[in-house]
C-alpha cells in the first residue's frame, strides 16, 4: 500500500491523491464556524455585557459578583466619607477597569458585526489565507 499522511486540513496525501475531506468542505466548515463565532461574539459583547449598563454607571456591572447597584452606591458613599486615600484609589481603579472592560467588549462586538457584514468570507480580506491553501 502507498504511504499516507494526514495534513492539518484533513487531507490525506498519498500517491493516488485521494482525500478524506475536500478543500471546499473544509472551507465551508471553517466559514460556518467563523460565522457562528462572530454571531455569538456580537450577541455576548453587545447584548449581554452591555445590558447591565456598566458603561454609564459602573455600579450596574457588579451584579455578576453579587453586589447590587444600590449596595455599590452605598459602598461608594461610605468609602468617600470614611475611607482613606488607598481605599478611594482602589474604588476608582475598580470603576475605571469596569468601564474599560465595557468599552473593550463594545469594540469586540462591533468588530464581529463589521466582519459579518462587510468582509468577504473565505478570502484574505476576512483575515486569513485559508482561501489560498
Amino acid at each position: 500500500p502507498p504511504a499516507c499522511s494526514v495534513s492539518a486540513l484533513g487531507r490525506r496525501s498519498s500517491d493516488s491523491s485521494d482525500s478524506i475531506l475536500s478543500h471546499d468542505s473544509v472551507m465551508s466548515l471553517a466559514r460556518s464556524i467563523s460565522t457562528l463565532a462572530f454571531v455569538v461574539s456580537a450577541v455576548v459583547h453587545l447584548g449581554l455585557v452591555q445590558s447591565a449598563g456598566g458603561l454609564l454607571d459602573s455600579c450596574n456591572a457588579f451584579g455578576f459578583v453579587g453586589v447590587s447597584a444600590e449596595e455599590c452606591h452605598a459602598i461608594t458613599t461610605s468609602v468617600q466619607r470614611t475611607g482613606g486615600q488607598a481605599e478611594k484609589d482602589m474604588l476608582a481603579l475598580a470603576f475605571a477597569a469596569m468601564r474599560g472592560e465595557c468599552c473593550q467588549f463594545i469594540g469586540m462586538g462591533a468588530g464581529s458585526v463589521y466582519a459579518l457584514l462587510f468582509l468577504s468570507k473565505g478570502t484574505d480580506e476576512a483575515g486569513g489565507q485559508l482561501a489560498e491553501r
Side-chain angles (χ1 to χ4, degrees):
C4 297
S5 66
V6 177
S7 71
L9 289 176
R11 286 188 276 171
R12 181 177 59 177
S13 60
S14 70
D15 295 337
S16 63
S17 70
D18 293 333
S19 67
I20 296 171
L21 293 174
S22 71
H23 177 70
D24 291 338
S25 66
V26 171
M27 289 304 297
S28 177
L29 179 63
R31 278 190 294 275
S32 297
I33 291 171
S34 175
T35 299
L36 178 64
F38 282 136
V39 168
V40 169
S41 173
V43 168
V44 169
H45 293 123
L46 295 177
L48 297 177
V49 172
Q50 300 309 322
S51 67
L55 185 61
L56 302 175
D57 182 357
S58 293
C59 278
N60 292 333
F62 287 99
F64 74 95
V65 293
V67 178
S68 70
E70 294 78 22
E71 290 173 314
C72 177
H73 288 294
I75 292 168
T76 302
T77 301
S78 174
V79 168
Q80 288 174 342
R81 289 186 183 153
T82 61
Q85 189 59 44
E87 289 85 358
K88 291 176 183 177
D89 290 346
M90 188 173 137
L91 188 62
L93 180 60
F95 286 157
M98 187 60 65
R99 287 197 171 141
E101 286 181 6
C102 287
C103 289
Q104 177 186 357
F105 287 140
I106 287 173
M108 290 188 301
S112 295
V113 169
Y114 175 82
L116 281 168
L117 298 178
F118 299 110
L119 298 181
S120 301
K121 289 157 182 63
T123 66
D124 287 340
E125 185 179 325
Q129 297 186 11
L130 286 176
E132 294 179 4
R133 293 183 186 175

